[in-house]
Amino acid sequence: MISALNRLQPLNGNKIILFFCLLIQFNGLIAQNSTYTKDTLQLAVLMPFCSKEILVDELSPKSALGNACRSYFEGFKLGLDSMSKNGIHLTVHVFDTKNDTNYFKQLLKKSEVLNANLIIGPVVAAGQQLMKTFSNEAHIYHVSPLLTLTKSKIEDPFLVCMNPDLESYADIFLKQLYLAGNTDINLVVYSGKGKNDKIISNRLNKIKSEYPGFSIQCLDIAKNSNYKNYYNLNKTNLVWIDSENEFQVNSTLKLLADTNQFIDVHVIGNKKWLEYNAINYPLWKHLDVTLLSPYFLALDTKITTNCIELYKEIYNKEPDEYAISGYDQALLLIDNLANNNGVFNPTKKQNNTVLVGSEYLIGPKPNNKGYQNNYLNQCKFDDAFNWINASKTSK
């Protein structure tokens, strides 16, 4: 299955209706000494905007997904416009897949899709599964732009996931720890009983032999009091709480903060915790709570300010996470295509593209066919309770 990283915002009055195919052309002047190809790049966007359903009923079951896709495309379009001003010729064919499997199959037969340099979409798991056959025949890379693959195993060498698969969080975080110079870690992972709560712990059990200096134990969060049997004063103590249950998480945090039993414990958590009814900020600060996320918006940069102001000017609203991701991905993906003669290269290093809300380290998936972003931000509150990115590894 596929899960969203955060709650979707409701559709507001600023409607965009995407009919069967919306053709957008961006024609920029070719800059002197440009490293970009002068050929027109062809993009196909295949996303479930669900425009007609939302127009009829803003509370339609498809509205959350459609609204996320619309926000993404609004940001993506801003990014495309920016790249066209750098001298890149773009033709973009936009299709509303309607979140309809049969209709999606028909779209894959369109010449605009078959002749694309890159396909943005699909979004949901059913569409990704259908793309496997298409990829084997067409050999066109396609981007999963928004959501995080959880339990779905999609063996597609032409799939590029812009958010890491959930089980890959284990690989990415351990590697980040190791590259940051940590070689003596005592890691205890608590798993809950949610539908996705054991994915990371199961993966950690498979790869822990690759990190002989790390002590890794996976436990049931319902038995969190057993932590005293695994706490080690001679190592750096990390506790990864792989659960979204607010009561269980808060109970575990209070236990770990008991200075009569434990000192200097560092907690790794889930981004969903930010949606809790109440956050005990001093407790989080005491336990150095760090949330792993592929998304982080640095508000103190000029490019971020410019992007947000431009988006507000055009769409009369604040950009959400999906819009910012769309903007960043447009810059990253078009730069890749333009510098490789229109052929997407998933192993190419990022060409100094300054992004707004994301870090991308595209490379092979560690345990599956295809490619993904192998970077996670380590987000936490600082001493003044500002939300910061504390990642110590660089791309």
Side-chain angles (χ1 to χ4, degrees), residues 156-196:
D156 184 348
F158 292 92
L159 171 61
V160 182
C161 293
M162 302 309 285
N163 290 334
D165 292 358
L166 183 58
E167 70 172 352
S168 295
Y169 277 44
D171 301 76
I172 296 170
F173 183 59
L174 289 191
K175 186 174 182 180
Q176 287 180 335
L177 286 175
Y178 183 79
L179 292 177
N182 297 290
T183 57
D184 197 23
I185 297 290
N186 180 43
L187 174 61
V188 173
V189 183
Y190 278 118
S191 296
K193 297 188 182 301
K195 59 184 179 181
N196 297 323

Side-chain angles (χ1 to χ4, degrees), residues 193-352:
K193 297 188 182 301
K195 59 184 179 181
N196 297 323
D197 286 357
K198 292 192 181 298
I199 293 175
I200 290 174
S201 60
N202 289 340
R203 180 61 183 169
L204 282 168
N205 277 326
K206 292 179 181 178
I207 65 172
K208 63 183 181 180
S209 61
E210 300 174 17
Y211 296 87
F214 291 14
S215 171
I216 301 176
Q217 300 289 337
C218 299
L219 308 174
D220 188 337
I221 197 171
K223 301 176 181 178
N224 56 18
S225 61
N226 290 339
Y227 180 66
K228 61 180 179 292
N229 299 323
Y230 301 94
Y231 176 72
N232 189 336
L233 268 175
N234 298 317
K235 289 177 175 284
T236 300
N237 288 282
L238 297 183
V239 178
W240 193 338
I241 305 177
D242 186 19
S243 174
E244 297 175 6
N245 184 286
E246 185 170 359
F247 175 78
Q248 289 185 323
V249 168
N250 285 336
S251 296
T252 304
L253 292 178
K254 290 177 182 178
L255 170 73
L256 298 173
D258 183 358
T259 54
N260 291 321
Q261 299 186 73
F262 317 114
I263 59 171
D264 199 26
V265 174
H266 305 264
V267 172
I268 308 301
N270 189 308
K271 188 183 173 187
K272 285 285 185 179
W273 295 6
L274 293 173
E275 299 174 8
Y276 284 173
N277 293 321
I279 297 176
N280 187 330
Y281 294 99
L283 180 64
W284 280 31
K285 188 67 184 70
H286 172 72
L287 291 170
D288 191 34
V289 170
T290 301
L291 308 186
L292 303 179
S293 172
Y295 176 82
F296 178 84
L297 183 63
L299 292 172
D300 56 348
T301 65
K302 184 176 181 180
I303 186 173
T304 298
T305 302
N306 291 342
C307 175
I308 291 175
E309 290 303 316
L310 180 60
Y311 185 92
K312 289 166 61 177
E313 179 181 339
I314 295 175
Y315 299 111
N316 195 32
K317 61 181 180 179
E318 293 280 346
D320 60 14
E321 175 175 328
Y322 301 114
I324 296 296
S325 294
Y327 179 82
D328 281 342
Q329 289 177 30
L331 300 186
L332 184 76
L333 298 171
I334 300 305
D335 182 84
N336 186 296
L337 285 170
N339 279 295
N340 289 282
N341 296 315
V343 178
F344 186 73
N345 181 357
T347 61
K348 175 184 176 293
K349 284 189 175 182
Q350 185 176 315
N351 187 38
N352 298 320

Side-chain angles (χ1 to χ4, degrees), residues 27-69:
N27 293 310
L29 298 175
I30 300 298
Q32 291 185 348
N33 300 320
S34 172
T35 59
Y36 294 125
T37 175
K38 296 183 180 182
D39 296 330
T40 298
L41 299 174
Q42 303 285 334
L43 295 184
V45 177
L46 302 172
M47 301 183 73
F49 298 100
C50 307
S51 300
K52 291 183 179 179
E53 292 86 348
I54 296 174
L55 185 61
V56 172
D57 179 12
E58 290 188 359
L59 299 179
S60 163
K62 295 183 178 181
S63 64
L65 179 62
N67 185 50
C69 293

